[in-house]
Amino acid sequence: MTVSTEFDRYPKTGRFLAGRLRSEMSEAEKTELEGLVVDTMTLRDGARAIARGDACNWSAILIDGFVLRTLENGGRRYAVSFHVPGDFVDLHCFALRRLDHNIDCVGEATFGRVPHDAIARVMEQRPHLARLFWFATLLDAAMHREWIMKLEQSTVPKRIAHVFAEIWRRLEMVGQAFPDGFETPLRQSEIAEMCGATAIHTNRALADLRRNDLADFRRGEVRIRDRARLEDYAGFRPDYLYREGSLALRRAG
């Protein structure tokens, strides 16, 4: 079943784990997950969906839009990861009650809210669905580790190339990418925050990527002529996304 068909049938949760373990979900599990969403909310560009330290009794799945996980220090904001439609942006809240970071919207974003008492029932009554929730949080951790490594070892142009490569792959999984790139509400300032770079270095790095015909970032879209060349330049290996490569998810036996 294609992502678009799934989204038509399950408009709030049809992109959850698309391209990975969604194929192992039963129709009953998909229906139950859709029913966990008690309401939706749409927030404006720049809105903070959840602030660090806020007490939460619900978690949110991103239905449409793009959000950043951010930390603030010394008057600066740092983006430590991002989310695309289908991701639970704060499933961690179920266990932690409070986040140690913020969830910030980039462009308009729509969320579905799932009460924590409903997640608790899933944990007790639906062990396979509970395991998929657990997988989603572990996947967040795997992506975060990759970011830490790339920040340590890469130049700013290569960090940006890596971010573009990951966004493209993740949007592709949920049916929101193009053969030659993707649309994005990201601005240059947010790319700088994602790569731990200054505005000046980010501007120069984007110019380098454009001049070398690796990626062309313009407000609202990223166009990439040669995916393999971009990924090779960035040192991007998609294994940590658990879709393909040595970490691809396969049925046992």
Side-chain angles (χ1 to χ4, degrees):
M1 190 176 293
T2 65
V3 173
S4 59
T5 303
E6 285 280 281
F7 195 63
D8 288 341
R9 294 184 64 190
Y10 306 102
K12 299 174 219 174
T13 62
R15 291 190 169 96
F16 177 65
L17 294 184
R20 281 169 286 210
L21 289 179
R22 187 169 184 85
S23 61
E24 295 191 11
M25 293 178 67
S26 67
E27 290 303 312
E29 288 173 329
K30 293 175 184 177
T31 299
E32 177 149 353
L33 176 60
E34 185 80 3
L36 295 180
V37 178
V38 295
D39 59 21
T40 62
M41 61 180 182
T42 298
L43 300 179
R44 69 186 186 284
D45 177 31
R48 179 153 288 173
I50 304 171
R52 182 182 187 276
D54 282 354
C56 296
N57 58 10
W58 51 269
S59 290
I61 187 168
L62 185 61
I63 296 172
D64 192 38
F66 194 97
V67 301
L68 296 175
R69 291 182 185 273
T70 69
L71 293 168
E72 293 172 329
N73 185 50
R76 287 186 61 186
R77 187 178 77 158
Y78 299 85
V80 295
S81 64
F82 67 89
H83 284 288
V84 300
D87 291 348
F88 265 103
V89 301
D90 61 345
L91 199 53
H92 313 70
C93 266
F94 172 69
L96 299 173
R97 303 304 177 191
R98 290 176 172 82
L99 294 181
D100 59 0
H101 56 274
N102 311 301
I103 303 293
D104 294 338
C105 301
V106 183
E108 187 175 271
T110 299
F111 303 86
R113 298 204 305 171
V114 179
H116 283 169
D117 58 359
I119 296 177
R121 287 195 299 273
V122 168
M123 296 296 170
E124 294 172 0
Q125 302 171 13
R126 292 281 193 177
H128 183 251
L129 186 54
R131 182 175 179 274
L132 295 180
F133 285 176
W134 188 17
F135 169 77
T137 60
L138 295 175
L139 184 59
D140 286 343
M143 292 185 286
H144 184 60
R145 286 190 290 272
E146 186 76 9
W147 275 40
I148 292 172
M149 183 179 70
K150 290 303 175 184
L151 281 174
E152 287 290 328
Q153 68 179 199
S154 298
T155 62
V156 176
K158 289 186 177 182
R159 291 178 211 166
I160 294 175
H162 194 277
V163 166
F164 285 168
E166 183 181 314
I167 293 174
W168 195 5
R169 290 274 183 168
R170 289 172 64 183
L171 286 176
E172 190 173 60
M173 290 183 204
V174 297
Q176 292 195 334
F178 302 118
D180 64 343
F182 53 91
E183 293 182 348
T184 175
L186 284 169
R187 293 164 287 251
Q188 187 170 305
S189 59
E190 284 128 3
I191 293 174
E193 292 169 349
M194 296 169 85
C195 296
T198 65
I200 292 174
H201 282 123
T202 300
N203 186 59
R204 290 174 180 168
L206 288 168
D208 285 346
L209 293 175
R210 186 181 307 112
R211 183 171 55 253
N212 292 313
D213 201 25
L214 287 162
D216 187 7
F217 170 76
R218 300 182 187 277
R219 181 71 178 272
E221 64 180 25
V222 174
R223 295 299 176 190
I224 299 161
R225 188 189 301 272
D226 186 331
R227 168 177 265 173
R229 186 164 169 259
L230 174 78
E231 293 184 349
D232 183 65
Y233 172 78
F236 176 84
R237 301 294 178 266
D239 304 52
Y240 69 100
L241 299 177
Y242 283 83
R243 183 188 188 186
E244 56 194 273
S246 62
L247 300 179
L249 295 163
R250 300 178 180 87
R251 292 181 181 275

